[in-house]
mmCIF file of all heavy atoms in Angstrom:
data_model
loop_
_atom_site.group_PDB
_atom_site.id
_atom_site.type_symbol
_atom_site.label_atom_id
_atom_site.label_comp_id
_atom_site.label_asym_id
_atom_site.label_seq_id
_atom_site.Cartn_x
_atom_site.Cartn_y
_atom_site.Cartn_z
ATOM 1 N N SER A 1 67.415 -61.322 -35.283
ATOM 2 C CA SER A 1 66.112 -61.905 -35.379
ATOM 3 C C SER A 1 66.062 -62.829 -36.632
ATOM 4 O O SER A 1 66.921 -62.824 -37.479
ATOM 5 C CB SER A 1 65.017 -60.850 -35.491
ATOM 6 O OG SER A 1 65.288 -59.986 -36.631
ATOM 7 N N GLY A 2 64.932 -63.617 -36.674
ATOM 8 C CA GLY A 2 64.757 -64.513 -37.845
ATOM 9 C C GLY A 2 65.275 -65.921 -37.280
ATOM 10 O O GLY A 2 64.963 -66.398 -36.239
ATOM 11 N N MET A 3 65.980 -66.554 -38.337
ATOM 12 C CA MET A 3 66.466 -67.921 -38.027
ATOM 13 C C MET A 3 67.746 -67.820 -37.186
ATOM 14 O O MET A 3 68.915 -67.958 -37.656
ATOM 15 C CB MET A 3 66.853 -68.600 -39.256
ATOM 16 C CG MET A 3 65.577 -68.717 -40.210
ATOM 17 S SD MET A 3 64.337 -69.842 -39.531
ATOM 18 C CE MET A 3 65.278 -71.434 -39.670
ATOM 19 N N VAL A 4 67.589 -67.523 -35.871
ATOM 20 C CA VAL A 4 68.725 -67.229 -34.973
ATOM 21 C C VAL A 4 69.401 -68.516 -34.422
ATOM 22 O O VAL A 4 70.385 -68.343 -33.630
ATOM 23 C CB VAL A 4 68.241 -66.414 -33.838
ATOM 24 C CG1 VAL A 4 67.851 -64.922 -34.416
ATOM 25 C CG2 VAL A 4 67.129 -66.972 -33.017
ATOM 26 N N SER A 5 68.905 -69.656 -34.653
ATOM 27 C CA SER A 5 69.469 -70.961 -34.087
ATOM 28 C C SER A 5 70.943 -71.050 -34.702
ATOM 29 O O SER A 5 71.159 -70.714 -35.842
ATOM 30 C CB SER A 5 68.627 -72.061 -34.369
ATOM 31 O OG SER A 5 68.479 -72.328 -35.790
ATOM 32 N N ASN A 6 71.783 -71.775 -33.919
ATOM 33 C CA ASN A 6 73.106 -72.108 -34.370
ATOM 34 C C ASN A 6 74.061 -70.938 -34.627
ATOM 35 O O ASN A 6 74.993 -71.150 -35.407
ATOM 36 C CB ASN A 6 72.955 -72.980 -35.656
ATOM 37 C CG ASN A 6 72.357 -74.332 -35.316
ATOM 38 O OD1 ASN A 6 72.606 -74.956 -34.249
ATOM 39 N ND2 ASN A 6 71.482 -74.771 -36.275
ATOM 40 N N ILE A 7 73.773 -69.807 -34.077
ATOM 41 C CA ILE A 7 74.699 -68.653 -34.093
ATOM 42 C C ILE A 7 75.877 -68.935 -33.190
ATOM 43 O O ILE A 7 75.686 -69.194 -31.898
ATOM 44 C CB ILE A 7 74.026 -67.391 -33.866
ATOM 45 C CG1 ILE A 7 73.117 -66.943 -34.966
ATOM 46 C CG2 ILE A 7 75.137 -66.283 -33.657
ATOM 47 C CD1 ILE A 7 72.315 -65.709 -34.658
ATOM 48 N N ASN A 8 77.110 -68.870 -33.553
ATOM 49 C CA ASN A 8 78.272 -69.109 -32.694
ATOM 50 C C ASN A 8 78.774 -67.717 -32.443
ATOM 51 O O ASN A 8 78.478 -67.181 -31.345
ATOM 52 C CB ASN A 8 79.289 -69.922 -33.461
ATOM 53 C CG ASN A 8 80.426 -70.178 -32.422
ATOM 54 O OD1 ASN A 8 80.392 -70.069 -31.306
ATOM 55 N ND2 ASN A 8 81.613 -70.638 -33.101
ATOM 56 N N ALA A 9 79.634 -67.164 -33.306
ATOM 57 C CA ALA A 9 80.330 -65.976 -32.905
ATOM 58 C C ALA A 9 79.437 -64.756 -33.410
ATOM 59 O O ALA A 9 78.774 -64.739 -34.390
ATOM 60 C CB ALA A 9 81.750 -65.884 -33.635
ATOM 61 N N MET A 10 79.573 -63.664 -32.611
ATOM 62 C CA MET A 10 78.994 -62.377 -33.062
ATOM 63 C C MET A 10 80.120 -61.377 -32.825
ATOM 64 O O MET A 10 81.038 -61.596 -32.019
ATOM 65 C CB MET A 10 77.830 -62.014 -32.287
ATOM 66 C CG MET A 10 76.606 -62.973 -32.391
ATOM 67 S SD MET A 10 75.112 -62.467 -31.622
ATOM 68 C CE MET A 10 74.631 -61.235 -32.706
ATOM 69 N N GLY A 11 80.011 -60.223 -33.557
ATOM 70 C CA GLY A 11 81.099 -59.291 -33.440
ATOM 71 C C GLY A 11 80.714 -57.913 -34.011
ATOM 72 O O GLY A 11 79.652 -57.778 -34.614
ATOM 73 N N TRP A 12 81.763 -57.069 -34.021
ATOM 74 C CA TRP A 12 81.663 -55.737 -34.590
ATOM 75 C C TRP A 12 82.811 -55.423 -35.400
ATOM 76 O O TRP A 12 84.022 -55.727 -35.041
ATOM 77 C CB TRP A 12 81.596 -54.648 -33.530
ATOM 78 C CG TRP A 12 80.343 -54.735 -32.607
ATOM 79 C CD1 TRP A 12 80.250 -55.389 -31.580
ATOM 80 C CD2 TRP A 12 79.177 -54.045 -32.931
ATOM 81 N NE1 TRP A 12 78.960 -55.205 -31.012
ATOM 82 C CE2 TRP A 12 78.301 -54.464 -31.824
ATOM 83 C CE3 TRP A 12 78.658 -53.265 -33.823
ATOM 84 C CZ2 TRP A 12 76.979 -53.903 -31.744
ATOM 85 C CZ3 TRP A 12 77.368 -52.762 -33.801
ATOM 86 C CH2 TRP A 12 76.533 -53.111 -32.769
ATOM 87 N N TYR A 13 82.533 -54.913 -36.606
ATOM 88 C CA TYR A 13 83.500 -54.467 -37.570
ATOM 89 C C TYR A 13 83.264 -52.901 -37.823
ATOM 90 O O TYR A 13 82.205 -52.357 -37.565
ATOM 91 C CB TYR A 13 83.478 -55.213 -38.920
ATOM 92 C CG TYR A 13 83.894 -56.589 -38.693
ATOM 93 C CD1 TYR A 13 83.157 -57.570 -38.109
ATOM 94 C CD2 TYR A 13 85.168 -57.046 -39.371
ATOM 95 C CE1 TYR A 13 83.516 -58.880 -38.024
ATOM 96 C CE2 TYR A 13 85.521 -58.326 -39.373
ATOM 97 C CZ TYR A 13 84.794 -59.246 -38.592
ATOM 98 O OH TYR A 13 85.228 -60.596 -38.584
ATOM 99 N N ARG A 14 84.264 -52.186 -38.384
ATOM 100 C CA ARG A 14 84.018 -50.777 -38.688
ATOM 101 C C ARG A 14 84.766 -50.484 -39.920
ATOM 102 O O ARG A 14 85.728 -51.105 -40.290
ATOM 103 C CB ARG A 14 84.499 -49.891 -37.538
ATOM 104 C CG ARG A 14 85.969 -49.857 -37.259
ATOM 105 C CD ARG A 14 86.376 -49.018 -35.973
ATOM 106 N NE ARG A 14 87.795 -48.982 -35.694
ATOM 107 C CZ ARG A 14 88.272 -48.456 -34.631
ATOM 108 N NH1 ARG A 14 87.529 -47.941 -33.721
ATOM 109 N NH2 ARG A 14 89.616 -48.413 -34.557
ATOM 110 N N GLN A 15 84.308 -49.401 -40.515
ATOM 111 C CA GLN A 15 84.908 -48.932 -41.830
ATOM 112 C C GLN A 15 84.893 -47.476 -41.761
ATOM 113 O O GLN A 15 83.857 -46.786 -41.739
ATOM 114 C CB GLN A 15 84.180 -49.454 -43.017
ATOM 115 C CG GLN A 15 84.854 -49.113 -44.332
ATOM 116 C CD GLN A 15 84.197 -49.879 -45.493
ATOM 117 O OE1 GLN A 15 83.038 -50.348 -45.450
ATOM 118 N NE2 GLN A 15 85.030 -50.062 -46.579
ATOM 119 N N ALA A 16 86.100 -46.844 -41.780
ATOM 120 C CA ALA A 16 86.253 -45.396 -41.822
ATOM 121 C C ALA A 16 86.348 -44.888 -43.276
ATOM 122 O O ALA A 16 86.635 -45.759 -44.249
ATOM 123 C CB ALA A 16 87.559 -44.978 -41.100
ATOM 124 N N PRO A 17 86.094 -43.657 -43.548
ATOM 125 C CA PRO A 17 86.163 -43.234 -44.988
ATOM 126 C C PRO A 17 87.506 -43.516 -45.618
ATOM 127 O O PRO A 17 88.573 -43.249 -45.013
ATOM 128 C CB PRO A 17 85.895 -41.679 -44.826
ATOM 129 C CG PRO A 17 85.129 -41.579 -43.585
ATOM 130 C CD PRO A 17 85.640 -42.658 -42.591
ATOM 131 N N GLY A 18 87.453 -44.070 -46.799
ATOM 132 C CA GLY A 18 88.663 -44.402 -47.526
ATOM 133 C C GLY A 18 89.518 -45.579 -47.049
ATOM 134 O O GLY A 18 90.550 -45.748 -47.360
ATOM 135 N N LYS A 19 88.861 -46.248 -45.974
ATOM 136 C CA LYS A 19 89.697 -47.377 -45.478
ATOM 137 C C LYS A 19 88.951 -48.720 -45.667
ATOM 138 O O LYS A 19 87.708 -48.689 -45.859
ATOM 139 C CB LYS A 19 89.836 -47.174 -43.896
ATOM 140 C CG LYS A 19 90.700 -45.869 -43.529
ATOM 141 C CD LYS A 19 92.140 -45.994 -44.003
ATOM 142 C CE LYS A 19 92.891 -44.787 -43.608
ATOM 143 N NZ LYS A 19 92.903 -44.550 -42.138
ATOM 144 N N GLN A 20 89.642 -49.806 -45.419
ATOM 145 C CA GLN A 20 89.083 -51.168 -45.479
ATOM 146 C C GLN A 20 88.251 -51.408 -44.154
ATOM 147 O O GLN A 20 88.598 -50.860 -43.120
ATOM 148 C CB GLN A 20 90.181 -52.134 -45.676
ATOM 149 C CG GLN A 20 90.898 -52.073 -47.032
ATOM 150 C CD GLN A 20 90.054 -52.439 -48.127
ATOM 151 O OE1 GLN A 20 89.114 -53.401 -48.039
ATOM 152 N NE2 GLN A 20 90.291 -51.857 -49.346
ATOM 153 N N ARG A 21 87.328 -52.250 -44.273
ATOM 154 C CA ARG A 21 86.525 -52.695 -43.113
ATOM 155 C C ARG A 21 87.518 -53.560 -42.183
ATOM 156 O O ARG A 21 88.186 -54.410 -42.774
ATOM 157 C CB ARG A 21 85.313 -53.391 -43.524
ATOM 158 C CG ARG A 21 84.424 -53.863 -42.333
ATOM 159 C CD ARG A 21 83.103 -54.517 -42.791
ATOM 160 N NE ARG A 21 82.337 -53.705 -43.685
ATOM 161 C CZ ARG A 21 81.152 -53.989 -44.215
ATOM 162 N NH1 ARG A 21 80.617 -55.225 -43.778
ATOM 163 N NH2 ARG A 21 80.409 -53.244 -44.892
ATOM 164 N N GLU A 22 87.450 -53.237 -40.937
ATOM 165 C CA GLU A 22 88.330 -54.043 -40.028
ATOM 166 C C GLU A 22 87.586 -54.480 -38.858
ATOM 167 O O GLU A 22 86.568 -53.899 -38.419
ATOM 168 C CB GLU A 22 89.437 -52.923 -39.612
ATOM 169 C CG GLU A 22 88.954 -51.836 -38.762
ATOM 170 C CD GLU A 22 90.080 -50.968 -38.272
ATOM 171 O OE1 GLU A 22 91.279 -51.265 -38.425
ATOM 172 O OE2 GLU A 22 89.734 -49.942 -37.595
ATOM 173 N N LEU A 23 88.176 -55.591 -38.310
ATOM 174 C CA LEU A 23 87.590 -56.147 -37.103
ATOM 175 C C LEU A 23 87.856 -55.267 -35.930
ATOM 176 O O LEU A 23 88.787 -54.638 -35.697
ATOM 177 C CB LEU A 23 88.259 -57.573 -36.852
ATOM 178 C CG LEU A 23 87.741 -58.351 -35.661
ATOM 179 C CD1 LEU A 23 87.768 -59.825 -35.975
ATOM 180 C CD2 LEU A 23 88.542 -58.026 -34.430
ATOM 181 N N VAL A 24 86.768 -55.151 -35.073
ATOM 182 C CA VAL A 24 86.814 -54.393 -33.869
ATOM 183 C C VAL A 24 86.889 -55.384 -32.688
ATOM 184 O O VAL A 24 87.762 -55.309 -31.832
ATOM 185 C CB VAL A 24 85.687 -53.425 -33.616
ATOM 186 C CG1 VAL A 24 85.770 -52.680 -32.317
ATOM 187 C CG2 VAL A 24 85.693 -52.372 -34.798
ATOM 188 N N ALA A 25 85.873 -56.252 -32.625
ATOM 189 C CA ALA A 25 85.778 -57.176 -31.442
ATOM 190 C C ALA A 25 84.821 -58.241 -31.838
ATOM 191 O O ALA A 25 83.874 -58.083 -32.553
ATOM 192 C CB ALA A 25 85.396 -56.504 -30.083
ATOM 193 N N THR A 26 85.145 -59.518 -31.329
ATOM 194 C CA THR A 26 84.249 -60.654 -31.476
ATOM 195 C C THR A 26 84.067 -61.396 -30.155
ATOM 196 O O THR A 26 84.846 -61.309 -29.260
ATOM 197 C CB THR A 26 84.832 -61.692 -32.552
ATOM 198 O OG1 THR A 26 86.058 -62.195 -32.104
ATOM 199 C CG2 THR A 26 84.893 -60.970 -33.862
ATOM 200 N N ILE A 27 83.082 -62.035 -30.151
ATOM 201 C CA ILE A 27 82.613 -62.914 -28.863
ATOM 202 C C ILE A 27 81.949 -64.174 -29.365
ATOM 203 O O ILE A 27 81.074 -64.187 -30.190
ATOM 204 C CB ILE A 27 81.822 -62.158 -27.871
ATOM 205 C CG1 ILE A 27 81.622 -62.982 -26.558
ATOM 206 C CG2 ILE A 27 80.530 -61.679 -28.406
ATOM 207 C CD1 ILE A 27 81.097 -62.169 -25.391
ATOM 208 N N THR A 28 82.398 -65.363 -28.900
ATOM 209 C CA THR A 28 81.773 -66.638 -29.144
ATOM 210 C C THR A 28 80.681 -66.818 -28.229
ATOM 211 O O THR A 28 80.418 -66.169 -27.214
ATOM 212 C CB THR A 28 82.726 -67.714 -29.171
ATOM 213 O OG1 THR A 28 83.122 -67.943 -27.782
ATOM 214 C CG2 THR A 28 84.004 -67.428 -29.929
ATOM 215 N N SER A 29 79.842 -67.887 -28.573
ATOM 216 C CA SER A 29 78.770 -68.275 -27.752
ATOM 217 C C SER A 29 79.230 -68.702 -26.398
ATOM 218 O O SER A 29 78.596 -68.704 -25.331
ATOM 219 C CB SER A 29 77.918 -69.345 -28.299
ATOM 220 O OG SER A 29 78.728 -70.526 -28.601
ATOM 221 N N GLY A 30 80.550 -69.121 -26.245
ATOM 222 C CA GLY A 30 81.107 -69.632 -25.017
ATOM 223 C C GLY A 30 81.661 -68.496 -24.245
ATOM 224 O O GLY A 30 82.152 -68.691 -23.021
ATOM 225 N N GLY A 31 81.657 -67.268 -24.762
ATOM 226 C CA GLY A 31 82.251 -66.113 -24.063
ATOM 227 C C GLY A 31 83.695 -65.652 -24.466
ATOM 228 O O GLY A 31 84.156 -64.773 -23.727
ATOM 229 N N SER A 32 84.400 -66.370 -25.237
ATOM 230 C CA SER A 32 85.776 -65.996 -25.696
ATOM 231 C C SER A 32 85.663 -64.762 -26.440
ATOM 232 O O SER A 32 84.809 -64.593 -27.381
ATOM 233 C CB SER A 32 86.341 -67.149 -26.401
ATOM 234 O OG SER A 32 86.480 -68.302 -25.722
ATOM 235 N N THR A 33 86.548 -63.775 -26.126
ATOM 236 C CA THR A 33 86.521 -62.524 -26.796
ATOM 237 C C THR A 33 87.839 -62.156 -27.572
ATOM 238 O O THR A 33 88.859 -62.808 -27.231
ATOM 239 C CB THR A 33 86.300 -61.319 -25.831
ATOM 240 O OG1 THR A 33 87.309 -61.444 -24.766
ATOM 241 C CG2 THR A 33 84.904 -61.457 -25.171
ATOM 242 N N ASN A 34 87.787 -61.373 -28.559
ATOM 243 C CA ASN A 34 88.969 -60.994 -29.256
ATOM 244 C C ASN A 34 88.798 -59.477 -29.627
ATOM 245 O O ASN A 34 87.747 -59.121 -30.110
ATOM 246 C CB ASN A 34 89.170 -61.817 -30.537
ATOM 247 C CG ASN A 34 90.415 -61.428 -31.331
ATOM 248 O OD1 ASN A 34 91.450 -61.423 -30.720
ATOM 249 N ND2 ASN A 34 90.181 -61.265 -32.548
ATOM 250 N N TYR A 35 89.871 -58.700 -29.443
ATOM 251 C CA TYR A 35 89.823 -57.269 -29.773
ATOM 252 C C TYR A 35 90.984 -56.844 -30.678
ATOM 253 O O TYR A 35 92.076 -57.325 -30.609
ATOM 254 C CB TYR A 35 89.963 -56.495 -28.395
ATOM 255 C CG TYR A 35 88.834 -56.596 -27.543
ATOM 256 C CD1 TYR A 35 88.900 -57.669 -26.508
ATOM 257 C CD2 TYR A 35 87.721 -55.774 -27.491
ATOM 258 C CE1 TYR A 35 87.898 -57.799 -25.549
ATOM 259 C CE2 TYR A 35 86.703 -56.050 -26.649
ATOM 260 C CZ TYR A 35 86.748 -56.992 -25.663
ATOM 261 O OH TYR A 35 85.742 -57.151 -24.722
ATOM 262 N N ALA A 36 90.600 -55.838 -31.477
ATOM 263 C CA ALA A 36 91.690 -55.199 -32.232
ATOM 264 C C ALA A 36 92.575 -54.476 -31.232
ATOM 265 O O ALA A 36 92.163 -53.953 -30.264
ATOM 266 C CB ALA A 36 91.124 -54.244 -33.212
ATOM 267 N N ASP A 37 93.889 -54.371 -31.510
ATOM 268 C CA ASP A 37 94.899 -53.750 -30.616
ATOM 269 C C ASP A 37 94.522 -52.284 -30.388
ATOM 270 O O ASP A 37 94.700 -51.757 -29.284
ATOM 271 C CB ASP A 37 96.288 -53.810 -31.240
ATOM 272 C CG ASP A 37 96.917 -55.223 -31.207
ATOM 273 O OD1 ASP A 37 96.417 -56.018 -30.345
ATOM 274 O OD2 ASP A 37 97.809 -55.480 -31.954
ATOM 275 N N SER A 38 93.844 -51.569 -31.412
ATOM 276 C CA SER A 38 93.659 -50.243 -31.285
ATOM 277 C C SER A 38 92.434 -49.937 -30.268
ATOM 278 O O SER A 38 92.342 -48.727 -29.941
ATOM 279 C CB SER A 38 93.176 -49.693 -32.662
ATOM 280 O OG SER A 38 92.106 -50.331 -33.210
ATOM 281 N N VAL A 39 91.694 -50.908 -29.941
ATOM 282 C CA VAL A 39 90.599 -50.755 -28.934
ATOM 283 C C VAL A 39 90.759 -51.356 -27.653
ATOM 284 O O VAL A 39 89.911 -51.233 -26.755
ATOM 285 C CB VAL A 39 89.292 -51.014 -29.609
ATOM 286 C CG1 VAL A 39 89.009 -50.387 -30.948
ATOM 287 C CG2 VAL A 39 89.092 -52.467 -29.773
#
C-alpha cells in the first residue's frame, strides 16, 4: 500500500535463528519467477 506505482519485482526472504537472511522466491511484474534450490 501507499506509493505502489512502479513496483517491478516482489518476493519473499526468510531468516532462521542464527542464520543470514536468504532469498526464497521472487516474481517480476512480467511473471518471471526465481526460487531457492531448497524450496
Side-chain angles (χ1 to χ4, degrees):
S1 61
M3 301 293 291
V4 297
S5 62
N6 296 317
I7 291 177
N8 183 20
M10 299 186 73
W12 294 92
Y13 291 70
R14 68 186 182 187
Q15 187 168 22
K19 301 292 182 64
Q20 296 288 324
R21 186 175 299 186
E22 64 178 358
L23 181 146
V24 177
T26 61
I27 183 168
T28 68
S29 60
S32 297
T33 58
N34 183 49
Y35 296 92
D37 289 339
S38 59
V39 306

